[in-house]
Amino acid sequence: MAKQQRTWGIFITQLALAIYFIVTAFCLITREGASISSTEIEAITEIFGKGAGVVNLIVAIVLLLCGIMFALKAFGMDFDKFDDVFKYVTLVLWIVITVITLILNLGDFKSIMVLHWLLLLSKNALIIGGVLLIKNGK
């Protein structure tokens, strides 16, 4: 991949995603707080039922690793292709979570709750876009 020119926007995006992923991971592991919106958690629980706890733990571990990588990357450390693996795994994972959440909330189109659906879409699109923005390089 091409090296990415260092800008304030990229630095802020890396740091914000790192914090979001790390806090979300801790919230999923400890089951305290609500970093990841309850809508996404409800969607995972509805799909995986009793296995949702294990899925949440796997998601938490992936997000924690990616968050740590993004934090280190924001401050200039680069792990070459190693951090790209976590970036792409997180990207695919977040796209799957987003699609599941949006499909399970299609009922929101029956009322003013369509705004909730659009908010879910835009929040998750910002996260996905931020992950895509971060390329290999310092």
Side-chain angles (χ1 to χ4, degrees):
M1 253 185 208
K3 291 284 186 183
Q4 184 174 25
Q5 183 181 2
R6 187 71 174 181
T7 66
W8 279 104
I10 292 168
F11 173 76
I12 291 169
T13 301
Q14 286 174 326
L15 200 55
L17 282 171
I19 293 167
Y20 182 79
F21 287 156
I22 291 169
V23 170
T24 298
F26 283 126
C27 289
L28 285 170
I29 291 168
T30 62
R31 296 184 179 143
E32 296 291 330
S35 170
I36 189 168
S37 116
S38 58
T39 307
E40 281 89 352
I41 295 297
E42 289 170 7
I44 291 173
T45 303
E46 190 171 328
I47 293 290
F48 294 102
K50 292 183 181 181
V54 174
V55 173
N56 285 343
L57 185 60
I58 293 168
V59 169
I61 291 168
V62 170
L63 292 180
L64 184 62
L65 291 173
C66 188
I68 291 169
M69 293 288 180
F70 280 178
L72 294 173
K73 195 171 192 141
F75 291 104
M77 288 188 81
D78 191 21
F79 299 96
D80 200 28
K81 299 291 181 190
F82 185 70
D83 58 345
D84 284 346
V85 171
F86 285 102
K87 179 181 90 166
Y88 290 122
V89 168
T90 304
L91 181 65
V92 170
L93 180 69
W94 206 268
I95 289 170
V96 169
I97 290 171
T98 300
V99 169
I100 289 170
T101 303
L102 293 175
I103 288 172
L104 291 178
N105 285 285
L106 280 175
D108 287 352
F109 280 99
K110 296 178 184 174
S111 67
I112 192 68
M113 289 300 291
V114 70
L115 297 175
H116 176 255
W117 192 90
L118 290 171
L119 186 61
L120 287 172
L121 174 64
S122 63
K123 177 193 79 165
N124 288 310
L126 283 169
I127 292 168
I128 292 166
V131 173
L132 286 170
L133 177 71
I134 300 169
K135 296 178 184 167
N136 191 24
K138 295 181 180 179

